[in-house]
Every structure is written in C-alpha cells, then in structure tokens.
Amino acid sequence: MTENELSRIKVIQDVCDKQITGVEAARRLNLSCRQVSRLVKRFTQFGAGGLLSQQRGVPSNHRLRILNLIHEYYSDFGPTLAREKLIERHDLKIGLETLRQWMIADGLWVPHFKRKPCVYQPRYRRDCYGELIQIDGSHHDSFEGRSDKCCLLVFIDDATGKLMNLRFSETESAFDYMVTTREYVEQHGKPTAFYSDRHAVFHVSKRDAKTNRITQFGRVLHDLNIELICANSSQAKGRVERANKTLQDRLVKEMRLQHIDNIEQANAWLPDFITDFNQRFAKTAQYPKDMHRPLRESTDELHDIFAWQEPRKLSKSLTFQYDKVIYLIDPTEENQRLVHQVVNVLDRPDGTIAIQYGHRKLEFKVFDKLKDVDQGQVVDNKRLGAVLKFAQAKQQQYDQQQTRSRSKKAPKRTAQQRAIRQLEEINPVLVHPEQFKPSTKKKS
C-alpha cells in the first residue's frame, strides 16, 4: 500500500471509532462529507481492502492500446524495434523498459536470461575502418512468402560494425559476389582484406584443386590487390553471423512495413535501410584512419577484372568452344598468326563476352549449338535438308526430356539473366543490337 492509502485508512478508522467527526475527516482527506460517508460504509462492509482503488491491477487504456497494436502489427518485434515503430508510425511515446515489461507479461517477449546461452569466440575488433570487411551470404525467406526465398549478401566493416553493402540475389554465386563487390569498391574504395567462410566461391577444396588453387572471385580480388582471408570455422566470423541474425529480424520486418515484395524493389530500397541501420548501431573505430585505397582502375579495366575468365586454345580454323558455344575469330592477317595460341575468354556478369589475347581484344562471331535450327534454312538448303531435319527432331526430343543445358563447369547464370532482364526493360536494343532495324522513312 502507498502512504496515501495508509493515511486514508487511519482517518476512516478514527471516524468509525468516533474519535473524529466526518466533517474533520473530510477536511483532512480533502473530500466531501458524502464521499467520507461512502468510505465509512465500505470500510465497515469490506474492511481496509474496501478503501483501495478499484483500478488496482487493471491495465490502463494506454497500455491496452499499445499491446493491441503490437499484437496486430509487431507481434514478432523485439521491444527496441517495436518502440521505434510505435513512435514513428503511431506517435505513441513510451519508455523502453516499461514496454519490455509489458511485452514480457503479455508473452510477447522472452527475456535474454531465460534463453539458452550462446557461445561466441571472443576476438577484438580491428583498429581501423576499412581494414577488414566481413562478407557472407544469408539464405532466408526474406519476403515471408511474397516472393521466392533468396540470398542476402552482407558486407560489414569489422572495426565499426558498419554495413558497407547489402544486395539480394537469387543465389550465392561468383557473379553475384562480383556485382556486389564492384558496387562496394566503386562506392568506398578498396579495403585491405575481405574475411569470408570457405564457400566454394572463395575457397578451392583439395578435391577440386586446379591451377594456382584460386577461385574466380579470388582472382578478382588478386587483380584488385585485396587480400582474401577464409575463416577456419563459422565461429571465427561470429560478428557477421550476429549481424545476419539482426538483419533477418529487422530487415524482414522493415520490408513488410514498406510493402516490398521482390528483389528489385528491395535492392532499390536497401541504401536507405543501410543509412538508418548505421546511424543506430555503427561504432567508432579505435583509430580514425580510413584504410580504404582509391580505385584507380578504369571502367574498361573493371569490366575485364569482374569477369569469369577461362583460357581456350585456338584451332587451325581460329575457333574454340566455350560453354557449348563455338566462337569464330575473325580471320584477319594479324589473327591468322594466333593458330594454336591460348586466348582468354572474359564472361562478364552482364552476359557479354570478350576474347582477349595479351592486351588486345579480338573480334569474333558465335555459333550457339543450343539454339534451335531455323525452319527456313532447313527448307532452303536442299543438300543438307535431310540432315538438318534429323538434327531438328533430335533437338526437340532433347528439349522435351529437359536434358539440354549449359555446361556444368560453367558459372551459374542467374545473376547474368537478371542483369539482361533489367537491360531489356531499359532498352531492348542494348541486349540485342542485331535486331535493331533503322527506319527508312524520311522525316517530313
């Protein structure tokens, strides 16, 4: 009981014992005589408990409103994030600890001390911003069923905990990391090192070891003079793991509130989320020096660096095969000297192909063995008609059996397909320039 309640009980007890009058009691309690009379009657009937407030233990209307909003919109939010949204979206101000206790009492939040303890490997943060960037891919149903499951590529600075770059992709492939890394270095510069797990994008296992024991992504970082460090265990990169858990909580719910339903919308909105996240959670580095180095490579050099590169040996007819496509080098006088020489195939994330010999780009034409044979050519070519008809029938049979596909050794193409679709939306001529037909009409 409070001090005021104890004082009220004592005064009413004195009235019942006829030690003071009701008028005196009303003066002491600052009440009317009628109110004192009702209190005396309640004391006589129920004892001291009858004088206690009838609202004791009953939730206030303010609390009921807040809990109803949390049940409706933020049932899986933590107290901190829920409080932020109550202030931003509903203009309801409430103390963090008060809200936490209300959510605990209502079963909406479990205190940390009641959860199973997590074991983390302790490691000091790096000293400087840009000294070590942790990278990882987080597979999660980020759109909560509104779109297919996808992967979130996370780049986080070890010294400050600052989100450097985020990007949603369909898979965790080399092309996706190339696109994201290029965005990173063009925006921030080149860090000292990237710190990753032993995913196949970063690390070549002994069983699959090939020349130089380096992956395509590792070769990209080598060309940019960025160190790649692979952790020996998942516990060693606990900081980015914890960041992923935070992102799977906050990011998913923010996208739900923003009505974001697909990868394109999410990637366009992510810079706003990164800015807000860093303002809330980023720390100050121990030393103020920025270890990022300026990006000195030209745009054309970056196109070549951020490409899947594979060597191929030219035949006598200046041809070679890559990913079930035959490439025919233009038989110029200079190129005829390249018979049996090794050229470098540059397969870029945007789907374009370049062929390089030394520092020189070679002109070429393609013959795609996976494309359907044109029916008009089958009819017009009399000598090869029967053979081409047979080939066409075999192609249709393979297509029905779904056995025709690109080479298994080739890189995954989901990132390229997404880039090509985006180009087609902007201007189809950028993707298929050979289909462009200029108008022959004269302007009036």
Side-chain angles (χ1 to χ4, degrees), residues 265-294:
Q265 294 176 0
N267 286 336
W269 168 79
L270 279 176
D272 295 334
F273 175 82
I274 291 173
T275 301
D276 180 73
F277 186 94
N278 290 338
Q279 288 176 351
R280 296 180 188 276
F281 300 109
K283 301 179 181 298
T284 303
Q286 186 172 358
Y287 296 101
K289 183 178 180 180
D290 185 354
M291 299 296 289
H292 287 99
R293 293 160 292 157

Side-chain angles (χ1 to χ4, degrees), residues 281-345:
F281 300 109
K283 301 179 181 298
T284 303
Q286 186 172 358
Y287 296 101
K289 183 178 180 180
D290 185 354
M291 299 296 289
H292 287 99
R293 293 160 292 157
L295 187 65
R296 304 187 186 279
E297 289 78 4
S298 66
T299 301
D300 291 337
E301 289 174 331
L302 290 176
H303 285 335
D304 294 344
I305 291 173
F306 287 97
W308 187 283
Q309 299 186 8
E310 286 197 12
R312 287 294 186 272
K313 189 174 183 179
L314 295 180
S315 67
K316 291 182 180 180
S317 56
L318 293 179
T319 64
F320 67 90
Q321 180 174 311
Y322 170 72
D323 192 23
K324 295 188 178 181
V325 176
I326 296 178
Y327 292 83
L328 301 85
I329 304 299
D330 285 354
T332 62
E333 182 177 354
E334 185 179 13
N335 289 345
Q336 287 176 1
R337 305 172 186 172
L338 303 182
V339 173
H340 299 316
Q341 296 297 313
V342 176
V343 296
N344 204 21
V345 181

Side-chain angles (χ1 to χ4, degrees), residues 166-197:
L166 295 176
R167 184 178 180 85
F168 281 105
S169 61
E170 294 176 350
T171 60
E172 190 177 2
S173 67
F175 277 137
D176 291 306
Y177 274 106
M178 287 179 186
V179 172
T180 313
T181 302
R182 181 165 182 174
E183 289 179 353
Y184 178 98
V185 297
E186 288 181 337
Q187 181 179 359
H188 304 288
K190 296 186 288 188
T192 303
F194 282 128
Y195 191 54
S196 70
D197 57 16

Side-chain angles (χ1 to χ4, degrees), residues 201-228:
V201 172
F202 313 114
H203 181 263
V204 178
S205 64
K206 293 181 180 179
R207 183 174 54 189
D208 299 327
K210 294 182 180 179
T211 306
N212 297 331
R213 291 182 55 79
I214 188 171
T215 65
Q216 290 286 336
F217 185 74
R219 190 263 316 151
V220 169
L221 297 187
H222 178 268
D223 292 346
L224 292 172
N225 194 20
I226 300 174
E227 188 73 20
L228 177 62

